[in-house]
Amino acid sequence: MRLEAITWERLTDALAERLVAIPAKDGSPWLRVAVDGAPAASPGELAARLAEALRLRGRAVHKAGTFGFLRPASLRLEYGREDPDAYHDEWFDRQALWREIFQPLEPGGTGRVLPDLWDPVADRATRSAYVELPPGGVLLLHGPLLLGHWFPFDLSVHLKLSPAALARRTPEDERWTLPAFARYEAETRPEEAADVVVRADDSRRPAWSGPE
């Protein structure tokens, strides 16, 4: 895959312009967007930039992170606190994401989505109130391991880090997750699954796969 150098500002504007121009693939009145990447790639930062760019273009936005949809500790830590396969398979409550995020944004849905579900520090439900995303609004879901689950994304962006950059930028106490991301690369092949790939090895000089 050929990648072209770009600034974060130009990248954000290009993605926002693309989203303003495209319809949902299934005819839904809402767009659903993935910003996929390991925590070391800071997918939440790109999602925040994109949310602001879309709001400036008159679109309502709901930004949600997958770490707000963790499973309870008794389930995600069943095999220990540092099991990379559990991190890959069990940490994130994908059924809750389907129920609370994607089903309400299907054609004929209510548009009422849950901002988050689980507080990992207190290990209990957050009890957050539902948020209503008006028709024409955009869901931005950011976090790791988002692709390969049949989520109905209308646009998916994958923030790519080389294995060396991922290891370098991952905090010492989180490096046990590195095999989970190696498995994700091997099994899901996010570079091929995503609509847009952004190489972020150097956080100051991203490169992207360009528009379709």
Side-chain angles (χ1 to χ4, degrees):
M1 178 182 294
R2 181 178 179 181
L3 300 177
E4 301 175 357
I6 194 170
T7 65
W8 289 112
E9 290 77 12
R10 287 174 50 219
L11 171 66
T12 302
D13 284 341
L15 291 174
E17 289 296 329
R18 181 169 173 179
L19 288 168
V20 168
I22 65 172
K25 293 177 180 177
D26 60 2
S28 169
W30 302 279
L31 290 177
R32 295 138 300 188
V33 179
V35 183
D36 172 65
S42 302
E45 292 184 12
L46 178 56
R49 289 174 179 266
L50 187 53
E52 180 62 22
L54 287 166
R55 291 184 180 116
L56 289 173
R57 288 164 172 79
R59 305 298 286 272
V61 177
H62 176 68
K63 183 166 64 70
T66 53
F67 280 96
F69 288 84
L70 291 175
R71 302 178 77 202
S74 60
L75 298 175
R76 71 178 187 273
L77 305 181
E78 182 179 0
Y79 301 102
R81 293 183 175 275
E82 298 186 356
D83 186 300
D85 286 326
Y87 182 84
H88 184 282
D89 296 334
E90 306 291 343
W91 270 48
F92 301 98
D93 194 339
R94 297 180 178 102
Q95 289 185 348
L97 285 168
W98 273 106
R99 182 180 66 249
E100 305 293 355
I101 294 287
F102 290 105
Q103 288 182 359
L105 302 181
E106 292 177 345
T110 64
R112 295 178 69 247
V113 295
L114 196 63
D116 49 49
L117 179 67
W118 200 257
D119 181 343
V121 177
D123 197 34
R124 64 185 181 188
T126 59
R127 303 186 186 278
S128 295
Y130 282 89
V131 173
E132 187 163 346
L133 187 63
V138 181
L139 165 73
L140 296 176
L141 182 62
H142 61 89
L145 312 172
L146 279 177
L147 306 179
H149 305 292
W150 300 102
F151 289 147
F153 292 121
D154 298 297
L155 183 72
S156 55
V157 181
H158 172 63
L159 293 175
K160 173 181 173 57
L161 293 177
S162 68
L166 177 62
R168 183 176 66 251
R169 292 167 56 180
T170 298
E172 184 68 33
D173 62 351
E174 297 178 13
R175 289 187 179 177
W176 62 270
T177 64
L178 296 179
F181 291 109
R183 180 181 163 193
Y184 183 58
E185 289 287 335
E187 295 181 4
T188 303
R189 305 178 72 85
E191 283 186 75
E192 298 176 10
D195 298 303
V196 176
V197 176
V198 180
R199 186 179 64 210
D201 284 5
D202 184 338
S203 61
R204 300 165 298 176
R205 299 179 179 87
W208 75 320
S209 56
E212 289 185 345

